[in-house]
Amino acid sequence: MRTLITIILIALSGFVGYYIGNNQGYEKAVFDSTTPKEQVSSQNQDETLQSARTALVGNWRSNDDARFTREFKADETAIDLYDNGDGFDKTALSWSVFNSGSTDAGYTGEYQDGVAYLHMSNGKNDLYFKIIKVTSEELSLFRISEGDILLFKKIK
């Protein structure tokens, strides 16, 4: 009987240790930069901003709602279109990309080194996002005010 209890305790300890070791920091891994802080230089941050600006330009369709598209233009204006069934709701916006080395005056959140942020405004309301991923085909944004993730596919 003691042997059985010892085996169960050892197995339980191993399971708890495995769970704690593999679960640690998972939430942050999605949003934090994968670049270690010591490797983030001002040149890297400038390159990140320029890459993000270039990659954002184009038309993007929401993965969650195919009726919603967002077009980022090279002149840092944007158009949100939503197909409401009777027509399109259209919103004109401005946008800019910034980081801890090139801050945005209206942003009051914490900055993380190596992370590019997106500011969008319709002139009345401001939206701030962390750019999780932007490629020639995919865009992932963390909406800071809501705490949710918006996913897009490039359509042109």
Side-chain angles (χ1 to χ4, degrees), residues 65-69 80-90:
D65 187 347
R67 297 179 297 171
F68 176 66
T69 61
D80 281 358
L81 283 178
Y82 188 80
D83 182 354
N84 63 25
D86 295 326
F88 288 93
D89 295 327
K90 182 177 179 180

Side-chain angles (χ1 to χ4, degrees), residues 86-148:
D86 295 326
F88 288 93
D89 295 327
K90 182 177 179 180
T91 305
L93 303 149
S94 63
W95 65 274
S96 63
V97 178
F98 63 99
N99 61 20
S100 61
S102 171
T103 61
D104 179 284
Y107 181 65
T108 59
E110 290 184 35
Y111 287 95
Q112 295 174 328
D113 288 338
V115 174
Y117 297 86
L118 171 65
H119 174 205
M120 299 190 78
S121 178
N122 65 3
K124 296 178 184 177
N125 300 311
D126 295 304
L127 294 171
Y128 291 95
F129 304 89
K130 284 184 187 177
I131 301 173
I132 299 170
K133 179 180 181 182
V134 59
T135 68
S136 60
E137 298 174 3
E138 297 178 315
L139 173 61
S140 303
L141 300 172
F142 175 71
R143 186 167 35 183
I144 295 169
S145 62
E146 302 296 321
D148 60 346

